[in-house]
Structure formats: C-alpha cells, structure tokens
Amino acid sequence: MQEFNSDLIRPVPDEPEEPKKRRRWPIFLGIFLVVLAGLFWYLSSQTTLLDGVVRSLRYLGKDGSERITFETYGTTAYALVGDDLAVASRSGVTLFSDSGETIGHQQAELSAPALLGGQNAVLVYDIGGSFYGVMDTNGKMRFQGASSGRIYDADLTEAGGAAVLSSASDARAVVEVFDKNGALLYRRTSKTSYLNACALSPDGSWLAVATLGQEDIAFASGAKLYRTDAEEEQVSLSFGGQTIFDLKFLGNGTVCAVGSRSVSFFDTAGSLLGEYSLESADLLGCAFGSGFVALTVDSHEAGSRYQLLSLSTDGSIRASCALQEASVHLSAAGDYLSVLTAQGLRVYDSALAQKGSREGSLMKAFVRRDGTALLVAVDEAEVYIP
C-alpha cells in the first residue's frame, strides 16, 4: 500500500474577491444617484441656488426682446396673473401673454380700476364704483357683477373665489363672499364700525376685515375674523390709534395686518404671533411672498434713510439692506422680490441676496416665481431675465 504524503496536498485557492467587488458598484452608484437626486430636489425647491440654471434652460433662445404693447385710457392698473400681465383702464381689462399675444379682453366702465392677480385668475374691480369680476388665465370672465354700494376693497382666493367690500344704504359697510362660479356664499353687514379692508384665506373658509371706530371717544382700528360657514364673530382684535392699510392671509391660519404704526401677525384663534414696529419710520411699500413679507421704509436718517426689509411671519427681521433712494414699486412672488426706484430695478431673494438688476425708468415691475420679472413702461412691457 502506498504511503500517504501530506506534502503533496495543496489547498484549493479561494474564489477571487474581485468579482464580488465588481458586483458592489451598482449598489454604490444607486446610492449616489439617490443622494444626488435628493440634493437637487432640495437646492431647486428649498433654495434659489439652481434657479439661474433653470432659467437658462427655460428661456433658452429667448433674449427678452419680445414686447407687450397696449393702449391705456386714464387711470391704469396692472397685475401679474401666473406669468402673464393684466392691464385695466377705463374701458376694461385685457390679459396678455409674456410673448405679447392678447389672451382675452373684457369691456367694462371703470372709473378707478384695480386688479388683484393670482396664479389662476385675476380680480378686477372699480374703487368707488360698482363693477367687479374674475377673469381666468384663458381671458374668459368666470363671473361679474355690480355691488349695491361703492366698492372699498376686494380679495381673491387661490380657487378664484372673491370677497367684495362696499358701502351699504342701511349700514356702514357690507362684505360679500363669492365662490369661483360667482355664487354668493356669505354676507356680513357692519352697522357699528366702518370697514376699509378685507381678506380671504386661500381656501375661502375665513374672512378678515379691518375696522375703523372709537374707543373712549378716541379713534381706534381693529380686525375681525369670521368663518364663512358660520354667522358668529370668531375673533376681534384692537390695533389702537393707527390705520390698517391692508390685510393678507399668509396660509389658511396666519393673518398679516399692515398698519401705519406696525405690521402685525396673528392666527385665526386671535393670538398675536409677532409684530414689527414702524414708530420710527414711514412705510413706503409692502408685498407678500411665500412665508415672508417685504417692506420698504423711510427712516429719515442720514446715510441709511431708505431700507428694504424681509420679515418672517413672527414679525422678526429675516434680512435687511439699504436702498440708495425711495422705492416706487415693490413686488413679491414665491421666494423672490423686486424693488423699483427712479434709477432702475433690483431683484432679490427673500434673504435679500441680489439676483439681478436693470437700469432705466419704468412704471411698474412684477417679479415672477422663477426670478424673472415683467417690466411695465407707459404703453409696453417686456420680460427681464436675470
């Protein structure tokens, strides 16, 4: 029998590791792509860092040379409707695309036209007159009507519903709320206080009105909140001896009251969320963006007289910067705002980082959600692309 020799035994080598490593790289690539997609989503939706790239792709081949031309008669109002421009004068309202095409026109007799634009519709009304109506983005009137008294103010919901505040023969004021088809949903008559401003929540479930009255024989202003499906008054607030110029819902649960002495934020439970004092400055302009309020003020101080402010919804200053001269128009949309002065236009994000500028004399400038702007002159408008 042959003797067994252990020296002849050779271990079988293990399977090379390289194929296993090769099978891992698709996993690493998948993880990398997921992280990259998440980073892209965050930068594009939560910041403005990639907006310049997005604008370059969206407006590829466009140099902003297209013109919107129109004729105006007497007092003229302008508003941004989505990315388009509405122009109203004494003869009615016209909606133009940003390439200059006429989308639609509605004839109306307007002594002092006012426009309030949204993403899906525009509200046109006659201050001191009786006409009101809502036009959609196709240039068609969804509904129109005539108030029984002189119109003081109006507001528009995201769905295209509207509130119209006017005088009344049997009361000091009346406010009516309509759905997107023009059906009357709610009517509130004020017999004890004058009303000078109104606002609807985005879903139309809440109505806010600014009041003018007296407290202990002294002038006092305030605000009242109502649910549009209930008769009872929900909240009443006092703002002392200042005038409330404007009310605006910042979402369905937060209201901003812009007054002569302060900008106040409160919720639908009546709790004050914050306040920015204007005691040492004059308010020049106000505009509402996504989660912030933009202000231009005159502090009457040498060297830093004119200021641009971005406020959070708790009344705190998010950012501020000095302006060389007084603003003539302030606009906000999404995370952007624009300031127009006699010298030209400046476009900022809500943190007041400057994103673009344009020199020249203009009447209005409306910033859009992507950071571009519609620049309005006497009888024409054009798109500005930073």
Side-chain angles (χ1 to χ4, degrees):
M1 181 176 182
Q2 186 177 3
E3 183 179 356
F4 176 76
N5 187 354
S6 61
D7 293 339
L8 298 177
I9 298 176
R10 296 290 184 270
V12 178
D14 293 335
E15 184 179 352
E17 293 292 330
E18 187 175 353
K20 291 183 179 181
K21 294 180 180 179
R22 289 177 180 175
R23 286 196 296 269
R24 291 174 184 167
W25 75 263
I27 299 176
F28 293 140
L29 179 60
I31 294 173
F32 173 76
L33 291 176
V34 170
V35 172
L36 187 64
L39 179 62
F40 179 82
W41 172 85
Y42 176 80
L43 293 176
S44 61
S45 63
Q46 307 299 314
T47 74
T48 61
L49 295 176
L50 296 182
D51 285 6
V53 177
V54 175
R55 285 193 296 269
S56 298
L57 296 175
R58 179 179 179 182
Y59 298 101
L60 187 64
K62 295 184 178 182
D63 57 3
S65 61
E66 296 89 353
R67 292 289 190 275
I68 303 170
T69 58
F70 46 82
E71 295 181 356
T72 58
Y73 304 94
T75 304
T76 306
Y78 309 91
L80 195 66
V81 187
D83 285 340
D84 302 322
L85 180 68
V87 180
S89 60
R90 296 180 63 90
S91 61
V93 58
T94 305
L95 183 63
F96 299 93
S97 70
D98 62 2
S99 61
E101 298 176 352
T102 299
I103 298 174
H105 174 76
Q106 173 64 40
Q107 289 185 333
E109 293 185 6
L110 305 170
S111 58
L115 292 173
L116 184 59
Q119 282 297 107
N120 304 304
V122 59
L123 171 64
V124 54
Y125 58 102
D126 191 9
I127 299 177
S130 61
F131 178 87
Y132 62 85
V134 173
M135 175 184 283
D136 63 23
T137 52
N138 294 317
K140 305 296 183 182
M141 293 299 290
R142 290 181 178 175
F143 67 89
Q144 63 185 63
S147 64
S148 58
R150 300 184 305 275
I151 296 177
Y152 299 144
D153 192 27
D155 196 22
L156 181 71
T157 68
E158 290 180 352
V164 178
L165 172 62
S166 63
S167 62
S169 58
D170 59 345
R172 294 190 171 180
V174 60
V175 59
E176 296 176 313
V177 178
F178 305 91
D179 68 12
K180 64 179 181 180
N181 299 313
L184 181 64
L185 292 178
Y186 186 80
R187 189 175 193 269
R188 189 78 189 187
T189 301
S190 177
K191 296 184 179 294
T192 59
S193 299
Y194 292 101
L195 309 179
N196 69 312
C198 66
L200 281 173
S201 61
D203 63 2
S205 63
W206 285 91
L207 168 69
V209 295
T211 63
L212 302 173
Q214 287 184 334
E215 288 182 2
D216 298 328
I217 74 171
F219 171 79
S221 66
K224 294 182 182 295
L225 290 179
Y226 304 93
R227 287 196 61 88
T228 55
D229 58 359
E231 286 296 324
E232 299 80 11
E233 176 186 299
Q234 304 295 314
V235 171
S236 179
L237 299 98
S238 175
F239 294 110
Q242 65 173 322
T243 301
I244 300 300
F245 299 133
D246 198 7
L247 291 171
K248 180 70 174 179
F249 275 86
L250 306 175
N252 287 315
T254 302
V255 189
C256 177
V258 181
S260 55
R261 296 182 184 175
S262 66
V263 179
S264 304
F265 301 87
F266 56 95
D267 61 22
T268 50
S271 299
L272 185 66
L273 304 176
E275 187 175 57
Y276 178 78
S277 175
L278 292 167
E279 291 291 347
S280 60
D282 292 332
L283 181 66
L284 300 179
C286 178
F288 305 96
S290 296
F292 73 95
V293 177
L295 304 178
T296 50
V297 299
D298 181 356
S299 62
H300 303 285
E301 295 181 1
S304 60
R305 178 174 179 178
Y306 302 110
Q307 294 285 325
L308 171 64
L309 306 173
S310 173
L311 302 182
S312 297
T313 54
D314 60 358
S316 62
I317 298 177
R318 179 182 295 191
S320 66
C321 69
L323 299 175
Q324 296 301 312
E325 54 188 355
S327 65
V328 296
H329 187 237
L330 179 64
S331 170
D335 199 44
Y336 288 96
L337 62 101
S338 65
V339 180
L340 183 63
T341 67
Q343 291 184 346
L345 172 74
R346 300 291 183 271
V347 176
Y348 303 87
D349 64 15
S350 61
L352 299 190
Q354 184 170 314
K355 299 298 182 177
S357 63
R358 172 79 173 266
E359 305 302 320
S361 178
L362 297 165
M363 294 181 62
K364 302 282 184 180
F366 297 95
V367 71
R368 304 195 292 188
R369 289 178 176 270
D370 64 355
T372 61
L374 275 174
L375 312 183
V376 181
V378 176
D379 55 2
E380 67 175 17
E382 63 176 299
V383 177
Y384 165 66
I385 306 171

